[in-house]
Amino acid sequence: MSAPDGSPVGAERSIGQLFASATAEMSALVHDEIALAKAQLKQDVKKGATSGGAFSAAGVLLLFSLPMLNFALAYGIRTWSHWNLAICFLLSFAANVLVAAALALIGVVFAKKAKKSQGPQKVAASMKETAGVLQNAKPHPRPELPRDDVPAIEAVGRSTS
């Protein structure tokens, strides 16, 4: 059985092997942090795009639907109530403004959600915390063994057949 770096389990690894292992793990950690930041940024961009789309839809609705909607609604109100035609046109305009305001409100809600989400800032804080922990890390002290008591380790060759 062997450790993830290929050295036998239970055998002491050299400082070079430990450093290589720590470097590989640190590199993997940085790559994972970058992937997390990308995923959070993608989510924030989606929320921002939804907000922008809702604002655009509100503007397009208000701009292009006003003439036809106003005429249809005004004449419909006039037919139903027999009020003055000018009042009927004002009521149809007010209805269009209410619909546009509702779409703008949806845009505001999504914009606030996108602004609240601080994905990149969270990742940066996490990376700073990891770096701070690694800077303060010290190796565990190991007891010194007298040189006379150290058993000799012999290399044993094994055949694969």
Side-chain angles (χ1 to χ4, degrees):
M1 183 176 271
S2 63
D5 65 350
S7 65
V9 173
E12 286 191 37
R13 299 187 302 182
S14 69
I15 291 178
Q17 290 172 328
L18 290 172
F19 185 75
S21 175
T23 303
E25 289 175 14
M26 188 66 175
S27 175
L29 177 65
V30 168
H31 285 291
D32 290 345
E33 293 281 348
I34 290 171
L36 176 63
K38 284 181 182 179
Q40 288 175 338
L41 261 172
K42 186 176 181 181
Q43 188 178 20
D44 291 347
V45 167
K46 270 187 181 177
K47 288 178 184 174
T50 303
S51 171
F55 279 124
S56 298
V60 167
L61 176 71
L62 188 61
L63 183 65
F64 291 120
S65 72
L66 282 178
M68 294 304 286
L69 225 67
N70 282 336
F71 279 107
L73 192 58
Y75 282 110
I77 293 171
R78 167 94 173 146
T79 303
W80 175 70
S81 68
H82 301 291
W83 289 344
N84 186 354
L85 195 57
I87 293 173
C88 296
F89 271 103
L90 284 174
L91 288 175
S92 68
F93 175 74
N96 284 329
V97 169
L98 286 175
V99 171
L103 286 172
L105 184 62
I106 291 171
V108 167
V109 167
F110 277 101
K112 284 183 180 180
K113 284 184 180 179
K115 190 175 183 180
K116 241 185 229 183
S117 177
Q118 297 177 348
Q121 289 84 358
K122 289 178 187 176
V123 172
S126 173
M127 289 181 72
K128 285 180 183 177
E129 182 180 334
T130 302
V133 167
L134 289 176
Q135 285 177 350
N136 296 330
K138 296 179 182 173
H140 295 291
R142 300 203 172 147
E144 294 277 334
L145 292 176
R147 292 288 173 194
D148 298 337
D149 295 344
V150 176
I153 299 175
E154 295 181 19
V156 176
R158 296 185 184 188
S159 66
T160 58
S161 57

